[in-house]
Amino acid sequence: MKARAAIHRDFSIGDIDERLYSAFIEHMGRAIYSGIYEPGHPEADANGFRRDVMALVKDLQIPAIRYPGGNFVSAYNWEDGVGPKEDRPVRLDLAWRSKETNQVGINEFAQWADSARIEMMLAVNLGSRGLEEARNFVEYVNHPSGSYWSDLRRSHGVEEPYDVKMWCLGNEMDGPWQIGHKEAKEYGRLADETAKALRGLTPDAELVVCGSSNDGMPTYPEWERVVLEECYENVDYISLHKYFGNKSSDTLNYFGKIEETGRYIQAIGGAIDYVKAKKRAKNDVFICFDEWNVWYHNRDEDSRRVKEWDWPEAPALLEEDYNIEDALFVGGLLNEFIRRSDRVRIACIAQLVNVIAPIRAERGGPAWKQTIYYPYQFASLYGRGRALRVSVDGPTYDCRVADDVAYLDIAAVHDAREGFVNLFVLNRHLSETLELDLALTGFAEARLAEHRVIEGQGRLRETNGPEAPHRVAPVEGSGLLVENGRLSGGLAPLSYHLIRLKV
Ligand code: AHR
């Protein structure tokens, strides 16, 4: 099967915001406790953070991380997590029916993020609390000194403010499961007033208002219109969340969800444009896709367990074992973000460690990379620069969620600083090799610098685990040729490729 494609040096989508490759971590399950933090573990540093996990995190070069939730944040008292550890209260976390010991709070997390060289993106509680708590939190985090909350931070040993720019105005406030769930207008008003207060303290803050929890919500996309009409001029981003799965064991339909996500982004773009026009506003609002990942392997089982358990501390929860099919999907989804990077400025893989995560760590045991770690790493390392338009002319298929899905899923990024064109390519075909013929206009001197591949045919369900941490890993690819301004060669069925061209 042949698939023709073309890129042109001057036909670009725009500069990619590197925060497209951000992550999310929540106080839930074993993400924080026995994920990144486990005093007493042989790999723990003086602060109790796991060095083995930190090394895997650093290799992802994550630009920003959203914290501390998620559903958790909607009943969280941030003050419980500051001051002497022995005085911190144990609380019941209503979101995940677990015990929160508060041994990690904002100052510990900031220390971890600093060592990992990741910028923090903090969420405020607009569920059980509101504007007052949010403004106190921002004052504690960002104000230098000479006020009650900033001096409290200093008394906790943190002299310098953190100067956090990115703030999320609550989490999934449209969801009836959310503690303090609200109607759209009610939430939009609260978000607007909170935004005003936060900007008073941090004028250059970048504020994220909650969009729908996913595109299947009954209030979607009306929620976005109503919320934005209340707060458009005071916010910078609207959040999108979406989790994916292949419950029906239909691989092509699963991969079609990449296109479905494109429609979701497009629809929210439409809502943004509508409100901007209606308000005659000058400012732009972009998309912050601040929760995305595969979540289905244990989802039903986990929902059942949560209802039954008796407030455990850091229980194993949402610990999905990802397979090669999931890795191919994640690669394709990241391609969609690159193709839509004119709208989507920030995106966060949800989550980072143990809970629906690319990194897993056993309590007292080893840490390893899941299959999805690799496409996320490739995009984060090599997806920085200018996104190029790619025209594709090749075979397509129809599935339940989308029609005319091209078997060839491709994204291209021109990294002019380092002199590379980086291509991320997925062949979604179940059984056919795609004979790629890609015209490289404006890159006459291109030569193949690197080709790595994850092949899935006959092994889609393979995973990594503590007993076989490297079973699934990208290998060197072969069979590609760059000649006369064209890249050509066969892409095996069900394969994902990183192709780097020196230009
Ligand atoms: O990431 C897991 C949960 O999914 C988050 O807490 C919530 O925001 C979403 O529903």
Side-chain angles (χ1 to χ4, degrees):
M1 258 184 184
K2 288 197 185 328
R4 290 185 335 117
I7 58 172
H8 188 298
R9 191 186 190 104
D10 296 329
F11 291 174
S12 78
I13 296 162
D15 289 333
I16 295 171
D17 186 325
E18 63 172 27
R19 295 173 301 177
L20 197 62
Y21 312 114
S22 299
F24 164 51
I25 194 162
E26 177 169 5
H27 278 248
M28 70 168 288
R30 300 193 311 108
I32 301 286
Y33 304 109
S34 79
I36 62 168
Y37 177 80
E38 191 177 346
H41 188 281
E43 291 279 346
D45 66 13
N47 299 312
F49 292 118
R50 285 182 61 160
R51 287 197 199 89
D52 53 348
V53 173
M54 177 64 85
L56 298 180
V57 169
K58 277 188 175 164
D59 285 349
L60 289 168
Q61 292 184 20
I62 299 167
I65 188 154
R66 178 169 173 257
Y67 170 89
N71 295 340
F72 170 80
V73 81
S74 293
Y76 178 51
N77 301 337
W78 66 269
E79 305 90 324
D80 292 343
V82 298
K85 284 191 172 181
E86 58 281 11
D87 297 341
R88 298 185 190 175
V90 172
R91 298 272 188 198
L92 299 182
D93 160 31
L94 296 172
W96 306 106
R97 283 178 52 86
S98 312
K99 268 196 195 97
E100 172 57 52
T101 61
N102 284 304
Q103 292 305 290
V104 171
I106 180 60
N107 293 320
E108 289 77 22
F109 186 72
Q111 205 168 42
W112 179 85
D114 186 50
S115 322
R117 294 190 284 275
I118 309 180
E119 185 177 353
M120 287 191 293
M121 172 177 177
L122 299 178
V124 297
N125 173 356
L126 293 189
S128 68
R129 306 179 86 190
L131 192 156
E132 177 70 1
E133 173 266 347
R135 81 171 178 130
N136 297 345
F137 189 28
V138 176
E139 187 181 313
Y140 182 93
V141 169
N142 278 355
H143 195 71
S145 65
S147 68
Y148 177 79
W149 294 104
S150 59
D151 287 342
L152 184 67
R153 183 198 68 240
R154 292 171 64 231
S155 77
H156 293 154
V158 183
E159 188 57 39
E160 294 302 319
Y162 295 115
D163 197 19
V164 170
K165 292 280 183 289
M166 285 175 278
W167 292 89
C168 303
L169 304 168
N171 176 70
E172 293 189 351
M173 300 310 301
D174 64 321
W177 59 85
Q178 203 70 218
I179 302 294
H181 153 71
K182 292 176 176 50
E183 298 296 327
K185 199 173 169 65
E186 182 191 10
Y187 168 66
R189 284 279 307 126
L190 175 62
D192 193 45
E193 290 303 319
T194 309
K196 219 159 64 184
L198 299 200
R199 265 197 218 292
L201 289 157
T202 303
D204 56 349
E206 294 185 54
L207 303 177
V208 186
V209 70
C210 294
S212 297
S213 302
N214 60 71
D215 53 350
M217 296 298 289
T219 46
Y220 163 84
E222 186 62 1
W223 171 274
E224 280 76 1
R225 180 189 68 76
V226 176
V227 167
L228 283 175
E229 284 193 3
E230 295 301 323
C231 64
Y232 187 92
E233 278 134 320
N234 280 327
V235 300
D236 304 283
Y237 303 91
I238 184 158
S239 73
L240 269 67
H241 290 181
K242 193 169 167 72
Y243 290 97
F244 303 87
N246 184 16
K247 252 183 157 175
S248 54
S249 294
D250 179 346
T251 302
L252 287 180
N253 190 61
Y254 186 25
F255 292 163
K257 293 178 184 180
I258 297 164
E259 269 61 28
E260 192 189 31
T261 308
R263 288 203 305 269
Y264 182 16
I265 294 168
Q266 205 170 342
I268 301 304
I272 294 171
D273 290 347
Y274 170 81
V275 177
K276 179 175 179 175
K278 188 171 175 189
K279 289 190 162 280
R280 277 71 174 157
K282 276 203 331 217
N283 65 309
D284 285 314
V285 169
F286 292 100
I287 289 172
C288 173
F289 213 124
D290 55 26
E291 284 188 35
W292 66 266
N293 206 347
V294 174
W295 176 11
Y296 81 105
H297 294 283
N298 310 322
R299 193 168 181 159
D300 296 342
E301 170 66 5
D302 278 332
S303 317
R304 193 187 54 71
R305 284 168 60 235
V306 172
K307 283 189 200 116
E308 284 174 3
W309 66 32
D310 189 20
W311 306 97
E313 198 180 302
L317 182 59
L318 274 51
E319 299 199 359
E320 300 261 290
D321 289 325
Y322 292 119
N323 59 34
I324 294 187
E325 186 183 57
D326 301 325
L328 304 188
F329 174 82
V330 163
L333 189 69
L334 284 159
N335 283 355
E336 190 66 19
F337 292 158
I338 293 171
R339 290 188 291 257
R340 307 258 176 194
S341 55
D342 49 346
R343 285 275 189 199
V344 185
R345 292 292 165 91
I346 307 173
C348 306
I349 188 170
Q351 299 188 11
L352 185 59
V353 182
N354 283 335
V355 174
I356 37 175
I359 298 170
R360 286 282 293 279
E362 280 192 343
R363 191 176 264 121
W368 66 96
K369 299 173 187 173
Q370 294 234 60
T371 60
I372 62 169
Y373 182 98
Y374 297 103
Y376 175 45
Q377 184 184 41
F378 286 165
S380 175
L381 267 54
Y382 305 118
R384 302 184 191 208
R386 180 161 282 209
L388 297 178
R389 294 192 186 284
V390 190
S391 71
V392 172
D393 177 15
T396 61
Y397 67 92
D398 295 346
C399 60
R400 266 180 294 123
V401 295
D403 287 339
D404 292 324
V405 180
Y407 286 106
L408 176 68
D409 181 304
I410 178 167
V413 177
H414 182 200
D415 175 358
R417 215 178 45 180
E418 300 290 328
F420 282 95
V421 166
N422 296 319
L423 303 165
F424 308 91
V425 187
L426 170 65
N427 176 4
R428 303 186 237 213
H429 206 290
L430 302 182
S431 55
E432 297 277 333
T433 294
L434 280 179
E435 294 299 334
L436 175 69
D437 174 21
L438 173 71
L440 306 161
T441 308
F443 300 110
E445 304 302 313
R447 63 176 174 78
L448 189 61
E450 189 178 359
H451 176 198
R452 299 225 273 151
V453 59
I454 300 176
E455 291 200 11
Q457 204 184 27
R459 52 188 298 239
L460 274 187
R461 309 279 161 236
E462 283 185 20
T463 58
N464 289 339
E467 73 307 336
H470 308 295
R471 182 169 28 224
V472 179
V475 295
E476 207 172 310
S478 61
L480 293 183
L481 188 70
V482 183
E483 219 177 33
N484 305 324
R486 303 189 92 81
L487 166 70
S488 59
L491 309 169
L494 296 170
S495 61
Y496 170 79
H497 306 250
L498 165 72
I499 302 165
R500 304 191 67 215
L501 306 175
K502 183 77 188 141
V503 295

